Amino acid sequence: QVQLVESGGGLVQAGDSLSLSCAASGRTFRRYAMGWFRQGPGKEREFVAAISGSGGKLDYSDAVKGRFTISRDNGENTGYLQMNSLKPEDTAVYYCAAVEAIGFYYSDKLYDCWGQGTQVTVSS
């Protein structure tokens, strides 16, 4: 398994941008799919975006498609989530997750490595 540490959360205004990072330990990061999930106040944790180990496959939830960009640098053992045009409804704790897989998964139940989460708050 890999250990994950997120960074980059904060308080921004609607329309602003924010970039999250997910640093992974270990030398086999490229074998791990990476997902970003979020949990807003009083809500269930939901899928945001995911990317395969090679970076060749990725997808987004409808809520963030066109505004967020997921990427990874396997040489740096780091994943990223670039968030643009932020909305108040994007306010949540954001988690990165990883699982050794060929592609990636949409369900959080299939990821077995999790970061501690980072708070993103978007004010109107």
Side-chain angles (χ1 to χ4, degrees), residues 53-74:
S54 67
K57 296 181 179 180
L58 52 85
D59 202 5
Y60 303 90
S61 69
D62 288 342
V64 307
K65 195 170 293 185
R67 300 188 297 122
F68 291 12
T69 302
I70 188 171
S71 62
R72 63 189 296 158
D73 184 338
N74 287 339

Side-chain angles (χ1 to χ4, degrees), residues 25-76:
S25 65
R27 291 179 287 181
T28 59
F29 182 58
R30 66 184 180 281
R31 300 211 306 251
Y32 284 75
M34 189 184 71
W36 286 94
F37 294 82
R38 67 186 183 185
Q39 187 166 19
K43 298 181 180 179
E44 297 287 323
R45 188 161 58 188
E46 64 175 355
F47 171 82
V48 175
I51 189 169
S52 62
S54 67
K57 296 181 179 180
L58 52 85
D59 202 5
Y60 303 90
S61 69
D62 288 342
V64 307
K65 195 170 293 185
R67 300 188 297 122
F68 291 12
T69 302
I70 188 171
S71 62
R72 63 189 296 158
D73 184 338
N74 287 339
E76 295 293 326

Side-chain angles (χ1 to χ4, degrees), residues 1-2 28-33 98-103 105 110-113:
Q1 291 191 338
V2 293
T28 59
F29 182 58
R30 66 184 180 281
R31 300 211 306 251
Y32 284 75
V99 61
E100 193 166 357
I102 300 296
Y105 303 113
L110 297 176
Y111 289 80
D112 57 9
C113 307

Side-chain angles (χ1 to χ4, degrees), residues 62-121:
D62 288 342
V64 307
K65 195 170 293 185
R67 300 188 297 122
F68 291 12
T69 302
I70 188 171
S71 62
R72 63 189 296 158
D73 184 338
N74 287 339
E76 295 293 326
N77 276 15
T78 303
Y80 304 96
L81 185 69
Q82 176 65 40
M83 305 184 294
N84 297 331
S85 302
L86 283 161
K87 305 175 180 180
E89 51 263 44
D90 294 319
T91 294
V93 177
Y94 283 72
Y95 299 90
C96 66
V99 61
E100 193 166 357
I102 300 296
F104 59 81
Y105 303 113
Y106 293 93
S107 171
D108 60 348
K109 296 177 175 58
L110 297 176
Y111 289 80
D112 57 9
C113 307
W114 288 85
Q116 81 285 359
T118 185
Q119 177 70 46
V120 172
T121 303

